[in-house]
């Protein structure tokens, strides 16, 4: 048995925020009681959470684990170890691997690999179309049978409105969410950052915010037509969020996520350093303010990392040639604390919701701290000071714009299915 004692339990599902001890037996929570309730129990491993928050296990709805096919950038093992270090107990991995995860044999490969070497749970997302090529619908039912939790052609949007409608119709009958990387590729073509004064100054090709919001508009209308569950990935523009708000007001099942880099950085932060290159690109100040407002008022459902490792040989090249993407797992909580909580924009409870019940709701599952529930817990400090060095990471990649940054607040222990997967 494992006893997590002396911590402050924070559970959005029951709106609990109180000193509690949590007793874990095997893979499940046995009991939750007032401090000291379980003192004197024998054969119990103690995890002293004094001064720390004990929350339900964080879920990352958007990550790239690069396996199969790009194991020099990340593997299921290295990626989940990095995720556990970031406080995540479950990671949803996007299907843009090599080959693309568009069939059930790859689903089974990922599920089996994660069971044998994963530090966290891995919940795979299957491709919406064959090879994510946007022509023919993928074998979604067979992948669902094998364990996918959603579909997406992430890395790109589902190519056409016609195919998106077909995927949505199909996913509605299977009760699977459709996760959209919203991008009008004709508007974004050739762009490496957000269009604006900074892109002009740097002489880099920019894409307008509309490259995202035009696609969100298409998808919201198709969600209304089909009744499907639509989730907008890494939403970065105010105009996109306005569409999501409009959809919600009409009662549509539309949700969205924002990444820590989009609520922290803006296009003005971009230099010729490829660690600042991601897709969607860093947005304007106005957009960032709108994202934070949406996080605070509930329009944004989820904080997701879009952890996108690229080995140094690929990423450390000129800005124009570098692939899009940055690491995300190990800085997500610290950035959320810094940008949102310490600055009094949201409560700690709301932040935990964005990492737990928020993503769970998108997936149609529950996330709470209660007896009988899976013992997935994230223990963190809001005060621990530390400096981020990607060189310390179990990830195989180093591409973070936050390297060298000092933070206040950190994951202290990650418990997955009753097992301590990470301890600071
Ligand atoms: Zn994407």
């Amino acid at each position: 048995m494992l006893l997590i004692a002396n911590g402050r339990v924070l559970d959005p599902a029951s709106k609990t925020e109180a000193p509690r001890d949590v007793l874990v037996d095997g893979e499940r929570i046995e009991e939750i009681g007032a401090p000291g309730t379980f003192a004197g129990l024998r054969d119990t491993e103690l995890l002293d959470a004094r001064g720390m928050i004990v929350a339900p296990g964080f879920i990352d709805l958007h990550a790239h684990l690069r396996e199969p096919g790009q194991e020099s950038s990340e593997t299921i093992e290295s990626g989940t170890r990095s995720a556990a270090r970031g406080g995540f107990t479950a990671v949803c991995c996007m299907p843009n691997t090599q080959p693309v995860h568009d069939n059930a044999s790859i689903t089974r490969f990922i599920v089996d690999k994660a069971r044998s070497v994963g530090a966290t749970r891995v919940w795979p997302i299957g491709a919406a179309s064959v090879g994510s090529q946007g022509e023919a619908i993928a074998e979604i039912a067979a992948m669902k049978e094998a364990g996918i939790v959603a579909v997406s052609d992430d890395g790109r949007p589902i190519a056409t409105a016609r195919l998106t409608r077909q995927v949505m119709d199909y996913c509605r009958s299977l009760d699977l969410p459709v996760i959209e990387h919203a991008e009008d590729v004709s508007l974004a073509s050739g762009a490496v950052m957000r269009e604006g004064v900074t892109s002009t100054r740097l002489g880099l090709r920019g894409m307008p915010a509309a490259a995202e919001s035009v696609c969100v508009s298409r998808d919201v209308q198709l969600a209304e037509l089909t009744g499907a569950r639509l989730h907008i990935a890494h939403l970065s523009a105010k105009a996109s969020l306005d569409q999501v708000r409009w959809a919600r007001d009409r009662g549509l099942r539309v949700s969205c996520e924002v990444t820590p880099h989009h609520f922290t950085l803006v296009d003005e932060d971009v230099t010729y350093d490829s660690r600042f290159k991601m897709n969607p690109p860093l947005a304007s100040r106005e957009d960032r303010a709108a994202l934070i407002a949406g996080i605070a008022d509930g329009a944004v459902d989820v904080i997701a990392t879009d952890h996108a490792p690229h080995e140094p040989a690929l990423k450390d090249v000129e800005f124009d040639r570098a692939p899009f993407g940055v690491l995300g797992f190990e800085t997500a909580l610290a950035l959320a604390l810094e940008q949102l909580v310490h600055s009094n924009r949201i409560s700690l409870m709301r932040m935990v919701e964005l990492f737990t019940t928020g993503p769970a709701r998108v997936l149609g599952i529950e996330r709470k701290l209660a007896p009988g529930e899976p013992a997935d817990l994230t223990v963190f400090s809001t005060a621990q000071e530390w400096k981020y060095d990607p060189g310390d990471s179990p990830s195989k990649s180093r591409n973070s714009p936050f390297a060298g940054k000092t933070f206040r607040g950190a994951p202290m222990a990650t418990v997955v299915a009753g097992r301590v997967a990470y301890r600071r």
Side-chain angles (χ1 to χ4, degrees):
M1 292 209 278
L2 171 69
L3 176 62
I4 302 158
N6 308 316
R8 189 169 183 82
V9 160
L10 209 154
D11 180 29
S14 60
K15 297 282 172 218
T16 304
E17 187 173 357
R20 290 279 185 273
D21 290 355
V22 180
L23 184 65
V24 170
D25 189 10
E27 296 189 0
R28 298 199 172 260
I29 296 173
E30 174 74 15
E31 222 181 312
I32 300 174
T37 306
F38 312 110
L41 270 183
R42 293 203 187 188
D43 297 325
T44 301
E45 180 190 349
L46 176 71
L47 204 162
D48 190 357
R50 193 173 303 272
M52 300 174 198
I53 304 290
V54 179
F58 287 11
I59 299 167
D60 191 356
L61 207 49
H62 193 141
H64 300 272
L65 297 179
R66 303 296 188 216
E67 192 176 356
Q70 297 150 301
E71 291 84 355
S72 52
S73 287
E74 200 74 288
T75 61
I76 290 169
E77 182 175 9
S78 68
T80 55
R81 282 176 59 214
S82 174
R85 216 175 139 91
F88 293 98
T89 60
V91 169
C92 300
C93 59
M94 284 296 176
N96 57 340
T97 47
Q98 286 172 359
V100 169
H101 170 202
D102 64 359
N103 63 76
S105 65
I106 299 186
T107 315
R108 283 189 290 270
F109 166 81
I110 294 170
V111 169
D112 289 347
K113 195 80 194 262
R115 273 207 192 109
S116 58
V117 301
T120 67
R121 298 179 197 268
V122 174
W123 295 335
I125 295 168
S129 65
V130 175
S132 284
Q133 292 296 307
E135 281 155 23
I137 190 165
E139 48 173 80
I140 298 172
M143 288 192 287
K144 189 191 178 195
E145 194 80 9
I148 63 163
V149 296
V151 302
S152 180
D153 274 347
D154 188 50
R156 61 181 74 166
I158 302 174
T160 64
R162 181 191 170 90
L163 183 69
T164 306
R165 178 189 190 181
Q166 197 187 350
V167 168
M168 283 184 175
D169 271 331
Y170 202 68
C171 285
R172 193 182 72 95
S173 66
L174 293 171
D175 197 27
L176 275 180
V178 176
I179 301 182
E180 180 71 297
H181 166 119
E183 177 182 335
D184 182 297
V185 292
S186 67
L187 277 173
S189 175
V192 294
M193 68 174 293
R194 174 64 83 79
E195 182 179 292
V197 175
T198 307
S199 67
T200 306
R201 181 170 55 78
L202 296 174
L204 294 170
R205 172 97 65 106
M207 69 177 84
E212 179 180 274
S213 57
V214 162
C215 188
V216 172
S217 173
R218 176 196 84 173
D219 294 332
V220 162
Q221 292 179 58
L222 294 172
E224 182 166 37
L225 178 66
T226 59
R229 287 157 61 192
L230 167 66
H231 178 74
I232 305 297
H234 42 53
L235 184 142
S236 71
K238 177 180 185 299
S240 306
L241 190 57
D242 289 343
Q243 306 277 341
V244 170
R245 290 181 190 277
W246 179 86
R248 286 271 180 71
D249 289 346
R250 290 173 82 89
L252 305 184
R253 297 193 292 172
V254 175
S255 56
C256 69
E257 74 197 23
V258 168
T259 72
H261 48 272
H262 286 111
F263 66 64
T264 304
L265 301 170
V266 292
D267 62 345
E268 293 164 42
D269 296 312
V270 175
T271 60
Y272 295 108
D273 182 339
S274 68
R275 289 176 304 172
F276 290 81
K277 180 175 176 182
M278 64 288 277
N279 193 14
L282 295 172
S284 68
R285 276 177 189 279
E286 294 70 33
D287 282 322
R288 191 182 77 126
L291 299 182
I292 291 172
I295 285 169
D297 70 21
V300 173
D301 304 84
V302 173
I303 295 174
T305 68
D306 194 8
H307 177 84
H310 295 291
E311 61 174 314
L314 289 172
K315 187 70 169 174
D316 296 347
V317 297
E318 304 95 279
F319 199 92
D320 269 327
R321 284 177 49 226
F324 293 104
V326 295
L327 300 184
F329 291 140
E330 294 174 43
T331 48
L333 168 65
L335 287 168
L337 285 169
E338 175 190 87
Q339 295 294 319
L340 307 172
V341 178
H342 295 327
S343 59
N344 293 317
R345 284 160 163 152
I346 64 172
S347 66
L348 201 54
M349 180 71 85
R350 172 70 183 141
M351 186 203 77
V352 170
E353 195 175 274
L354 289 155
F355 281 115
T356 59
T357 47
R361 209 174 303 121
V362 173
L363 297 174
I365 59 172
E366 278 203 293
R367 201 62 163 175
K368 61 182 176 189
L369 290 183
E373 290 294 312
D376 285 16
L377 300 123
T378 298
V379 180
F380 66 93
S381 158
T382 58
Q384 175 84 24
E385 297 201 0
W386 63 291
K387 187 172 174 182
Y388 175 52
D389 177 1
D392 296 339
S393 173
S395 169
K396 292 196 166 187
S397 295
R398 302 288 176 255
N399 51 308
S400 171
F402 304 111
K405 198 170 154 54
T406 304
F407 289 109
R408 184 158 59 94
M412 302 302 283
T414 307
V415 178
V416 180
R419 200 174 47 80
V420 180
Y422 167 71
R423 196 162 183 170
R424 194 176 186 88

